[in-house]
Structure formats: C-alpha cells, structure tokens
Amino acid sequence: MITIDVERHGLVAVDEDEERARFVEAGRLRARRAALEGSGRPVRVLVEVQRRFGGLAPRALLGARFLPVPNTDTVFEVDYAPGGASAACPSRLWSRPFTVGLPEEFASAVLDVLLADATSWPAGALRVDRAGFDEIES
C-alpha cells in the first residue's frame, strides 16, 4: 500500500485490492472512448481518498480492474448499488469502516470524471466494481 499526503487537500491510499469492498451491482453505467494504439496489461487497483475541509473529512473508496481486449475503444463501466445495512469495509486512512456499495448518484460522478480525463487508455475495459462510502462524510 502507498499513502500520499496531498498538501492542503487530503490523503490518498493506493493498494491492489480489497475483497471486502466487493458488492453485487444493481446496475451499471457504461461509456466508450477511442483507445490508444497498442496493448495494455491487466491490472487491479484500489484508491481511497480523504479530503480535508475544516472539521469535515469527506472520504471514499473505489476499486477497479482493467482488462485489455483487442478493440479500437476503451469501455468504461461503473457498477452501482445502494449501500448495505452495515459498515463492513475497513478504511486505510480513518478509524471508521466504509459502508460497502456505490449509490447511483456517486456512480454517475465517477463515470463523468473518467470521461473528462484527457488521458487515453489502451483498448479494453475498465470496470469499477469495488466501492465504499461514509454515510455521514461522503
């Protein structure tokens, strides 16, 4: 795991995976964009972010996998599901665990950010399939 302190903004933790952040999707948002030429490699990543706003500490956890596929596009998929009844996924940056899931309104924001990024991806599929949120601080 890598932890980065982004001065005056918050903390970011990057890891490979967290099985306890897996959820059964209720739906999936999908979009595609032209891909880079060449092939990528399969990878899974987990990112936790905690922002700093005075007394508030908004935080979230997202995990995704990228699978290269011979194609001309990159497909972005963001699974969503309402949070479970209990917090079940530990936080790397905070003492309180996350509620597992990704509400639909958060999923559309995740997809918007992926599409707004000017970075080009190799051909394949990037699927956000792990998530946790703080019902109070998110």
Side-chain angles (χ1 to χ4, degrees):
M1 178 181 79
I2 299 169
T3 303
I4 303 164
D5 186 349
V6 182
E7 190 176 341
R8 296 189 318 246
H9 292 285
L11 295 170
V12 178
V14 180
D15 209 340
E16 288 183 30
D17 196 10
E18 175 56 76
E19 272 292 319
R20 292 168 288 188
R22 173 182 279 191
F23 60 92
V24 177
E25 77 272 3
R28 179 175 297 151
L29 303 178
R30 194 176 275 138
R32 60 181 57 239
R33 191 167 67 189
L36 285 173
E37 288 188 29
S39 61
R41 62 181 181 87
V43 66
R44 177 169 280 289
V45 67
L46 184 81
V47 178
E48 180 178 338
V49 176
Q50 179 185 355
R51 301 210 46 207
R52 294 184 190 133
F53 287 126
L56 298 175
R59 60 196 189 99
L61 175 79
L62 290 173
R65 74 164 194 251
F66 176 78
L67 295 174
V69 176
N71 196 342
T72 58
D73 291 334
T74 305
V75 177
F76 298 95
E77 299 176 330
V78 180
D79 293 348
Y80 60 87
S86 64
C89 181
S91 170
R92 287 147 174 82
L93 303 174
W94 194 255
S95 58
R96 243 185 358 254
F98 286 106
T99 298
V100 175
L102 185 65
E104 188 173 359
E105 63 269 19
F106 293 172
S108 41
V110 170
L111 185 59
D112 288 347
V113 168
L114 289 171
L115 295 173
D117 185 7
T119 304
S120 293
W121 290 74
L126 177 73
R127 182 175 176 192
V128 176
D129 60 355
R130 309 267 198 273
F133 64 98
D134 186 320
E135 293 184 21
I136 297 168
E137 302 280 356
S138 288

